[in-house]
């Protein structure tokens, strides 16, 4: 009961509850759009490489500009940044809906619009993560990160369910229109939330190698000028556990990016339709929900050894899903991967965030975004090419094998002390 109470303690903050509901709706729109985009590429005759190129275009700016985008998050109001990025993404979604409903979509145009969305997302992602820290404070951040993953995966259930229905009865254009509308609640919350809540930190606030026990926001602010001199890349390279966690995040991003190979598995291996792919995405999201909840019941401060163990579980889950010989077993495998990936991502995210000094936290979380989900630009292309050359199930299995390899070479740096 105590662990369950700790899981939901971030929801005691009223603005965070409002923001969470808005993010559930916004995430549902985004998930519906991703499902529709992947199926639209297949419907236009695209192969594994085309799927990798179009879906990875969203993450290209994050991969190239992640640390630079984090500079905006460190220097400007997170609320203002999020208002700008939400407005931009809504405009892109509206354009995508209009083009598709008019029947004017092409693979080149889909790539260009995905790239435009990715530019806004590269700044939006680290801003959203640290905006949650602004709302709930350090002592509740582990709960908030895990609850955020619950929200994200709730949207991965609701969004694909809506997309599956719309793909059958109306077409992908209405999925993009749904996505555009779902940005409105977030913009309303941000507009009304002019002042952040005064979060009181308990004496047992979370510590890190750069924060003394019991140090609160004031202590962080006092040390910020000194940490500004430390390059975020230097911090990542010198801190072995953070460096290894970021490498494992690349594998998590590849396992999470089911839009590249799973549509090919559905169409080419099991000869099913877009509704089946949407249902698989729902199964992934349903499996991810308990994974996110379990992550919130763990210790307040994630440990490196815990990150290592969860990465092992993720690698096993991906390999098992890739080897599924029947469609029912693939559904079960996708649910297993969803749970394992979300458990790992939530704990690893909190571990990196709480280990990083306040003065460079935005930029380090920008680097985190480069690893997850930014690295899917590269891993998406590689798995797409491998799926075309061999078999989509084999390509997805390689993701699990590579994750296991990174765990093996990072075993010592990820031992808890």
């Amino acid at each position: 009961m105590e662990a369950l109470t700790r899981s939901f303690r971030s929801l005691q903050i009223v603005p965070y509850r409002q923001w969470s509901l808005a993010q559930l709706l916004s995430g549902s729109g985004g998930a519906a759009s991703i499902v529709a985009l992947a199926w639209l590429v297949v419907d236009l005759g695209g192969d594994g490489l085309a799927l990798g190129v179009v879906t990875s275009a969203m993450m290209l700016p994050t991969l190239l500009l992640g640390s630079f985008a984090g500079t905006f998050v460190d220097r400007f109001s997170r609320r203002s940044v999020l208002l700008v990025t939400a407005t931009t993404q809504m405009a892109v979604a509206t354009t995508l809906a209009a083009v598709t409903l008019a029947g004017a979509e092409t693979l080149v145009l889909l790539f260009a619009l995905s790239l435009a969305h990715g530019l806004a997302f590269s700044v939006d992602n680290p801003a959203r993560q640290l905006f949650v820290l602004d709302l709930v404070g350090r002592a509740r951040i582990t709960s908030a990160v895990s609850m955020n993953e619950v929200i994200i995966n709730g949207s991965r259930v609701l969004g694909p369910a809506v997309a599956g229905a719309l793909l059958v009865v109306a077409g992908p254009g209405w999925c993009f229109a749904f996505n555009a509308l779902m940005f409105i609640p977030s913009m309303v919350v941000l507009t009304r939330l002019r002042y952040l809540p005064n979060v009181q930190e308990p004496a047992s606030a979370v510590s890190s190698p750069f924060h003394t026990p019991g140090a609160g926001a004031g202590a962080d602010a006092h040390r910020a000028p000194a940490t500004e001199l430390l390059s975020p890349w230097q911090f990542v390279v010198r801190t072995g556990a953070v460096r290894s966690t970021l490498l494992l995040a690349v594998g998590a991003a590849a396992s999470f990016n089911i839009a590249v190979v799973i549509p090919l598995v559905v169409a080419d291996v099991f000869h099913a339709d877009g509704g089946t792919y949407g249902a698989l995405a729902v199964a992934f999201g349903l499996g991810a929900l308990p994974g996110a909840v379990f992550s919130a019941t763990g210790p307040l401060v994630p440990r490196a050894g815990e990150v290592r163990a969860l990465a092992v579980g993720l690698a096993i889950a991906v390999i098992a899903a890739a080897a599924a010989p029947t469609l029912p077993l693939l559904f079960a495998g996708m649910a297993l991967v969803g749970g394992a990936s979300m458990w790992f991502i939530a704990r690893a995210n909190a571990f990196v965030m709480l280990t990083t000094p306040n003065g460079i936290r935005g930029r380090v979380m920008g680097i985190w975004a480069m690893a997850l989900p930014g690295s899917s630009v590269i891993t998406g292309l590689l798995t797409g090419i491998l799926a075309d050359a061999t078999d989509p199930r084999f390509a997805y299995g390689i993701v699990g094998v590579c994750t296991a390899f990174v765990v093996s070479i990072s075993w010592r740096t990820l031992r808890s002390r």
Side-chain angles (χ1 to χ4, degrees):
M1 182 60 69
E2 180 183 351
L4 190 61
T5 300
R6 186 169 64 246
S7 302
F8 295 97
R9 65 183 306 201
S10 58
L11 296 178
Q12 296 170 355
I13 308 297
V14 175
Y16 177 71
R17 290 204 302 269
Q18 297 171 342
W19 176 246
S20 297
L21 178 59
Q23 290 303 286
L24 174 62
L25 297 174
S26 177
S28 297
S33 180
I34 290 173
V35 169
L37 182 65
W39 195 253
L40 184 58
V41 171
V42 173
D43 197 44
L44 288 173
D47 56 9
L49 178 60
L51 271 171
V53 169
V54 173
T55 59
S56 296
M58 293 185 184
M59 297 300 111
L60 182 61
T62 298
L63 177 65
L64 299 178
L65 306 173
S67 182
F68 177 75
T71 302
F72 289 95
V73 180
D74 280 334
R75 298 183 183 275
F76 297 100
S77 162
R78 255 84 86 165
R79 172 183 166 275
S80 300
V81 169
L82 287 170
L83 276 170
V84 172
T85 57
T87 302
T88 303
Q89 291 175 93
M90 183 180 181
V92 172
T94 301
T95 303
L96 187 55
V99 167
T100 306
L101 290 172
E105 70 276 13
T106 65
L107 289 177
V108 173
L109 187 56
L110 293 180
F111 173 81
L113 289 172
S114 295
L115 188 63
H117 171 86
L119 285 169
F121 180 81
S122 66
V123 180
D124 181 86
N125 189 45
R128 272 188 292 112
Q129 294 188 58
L130 294 187
F131 185 66
V132 169
L133 180 60
D134 294 338
L135 289 175
V136 305
R138 287 176 54 82
R140 295 179 180 85
I141 190 59
T142 302
S143 166
V145 168
S146 298
M147 287 302 98
N148 196 50
E149 302 301 339
V150 171
I151 292 161
I152 289 173
N153 287 282
S155 69
R156 291 181 72 91
V157 175
L158 179 59
V162 172
L166 289 177
L167 284 173
V168 172
V169 303
W174 290 103
C175 295
F176 303 135
F178 172 71
N179 181 30
L181 290 174
M182 290 301 101
F183 281 104
I184 295 176
S186 294
M187 296 170 69
V188 170
V189 171
L190 288 168
T191 301
R192 296 178 60 186
L193 190 61
R194 296 186 180 278
Y195 301 100
L196 296 179
N198 182 20
V199 178
Q200 297 297 319
E201 300 289 356
S204 59
V206 181
S207 63
S208 82
F210 292 87
H211 299 88
T212 58
D220 279 342
H222 180 70
R223 270 188 287 272
T227 57
E228 288 285 353
L229 299 176
L230 178 65
S231 162
W233 287 103
Q234 285 179 322
F235 169 77
V236 168
V237 170
R238 294 175 182 177
T239 311
V242 172
R243 182 179 66 246
S244 297
T245 301
L246 288 168
L247 288 174
L248 289 170
V250 174
S255 69
F256 200 85
N257 188 19
I258 64 173
V260 174
V261 294
I262 301 303
L264 297 177
V265 173
V266 171
D268 299 342
V269 178
F270 294 106
H271 309 291
D273 57 11
T276 301
Y277 169 56
L280 280 169
V282 170
F284 184 94
L286 285 173
L289 284 174
V293 172
F294 290 149
S295 71
T297 62
L300 186 62
V301 183
R303 305 294 299 275
E306 181 186 6
V307 171
R308 180 178 66 184
L310 291 172
V312 171
L314 174 59
I316 294 172
V318 171
I319 294 171
T326 65
L327 198 54
L329 287 177
L330 180 59
F331 272 93
M334 284 292 96
L336 184 63
V337 173
S341 63
M342 202 43 53
W343 198 344
F344 168 81
I345 290 170
R347 299 302 286 178
N349 187 330
F351 175 74
V352 172
M353 187 181 299
L354 294 175
T355 304
T356 303
N358 183 61
I360 58 172
R361 188 173 288 136
R363 282 164 288 172
V364 171
M365 295 315 296
I367 297 173
W368 166 269
M370 293 174 70
L372 196 162
S375 64
S376 58
V377 173
I378 297 174
T379 58
L381 286 173
L382 292 178
T383 53
I385 292 171
L386 187 59
D388 286 340
T390 57
D391 179 271
R393 288 183 294 188
F394 175 79
Y396 196 55
I398 291 297
V399 171
V401 172
C402 290
T403 301
F405 174 74
V406 175
V407 173
S408 68
I409 63 176
S410 304
W411 197 263
R412 291 177 62 85
T413 59
L414 285 175
R415 64 181 185 275
S416 294
R417 293 179 178 87

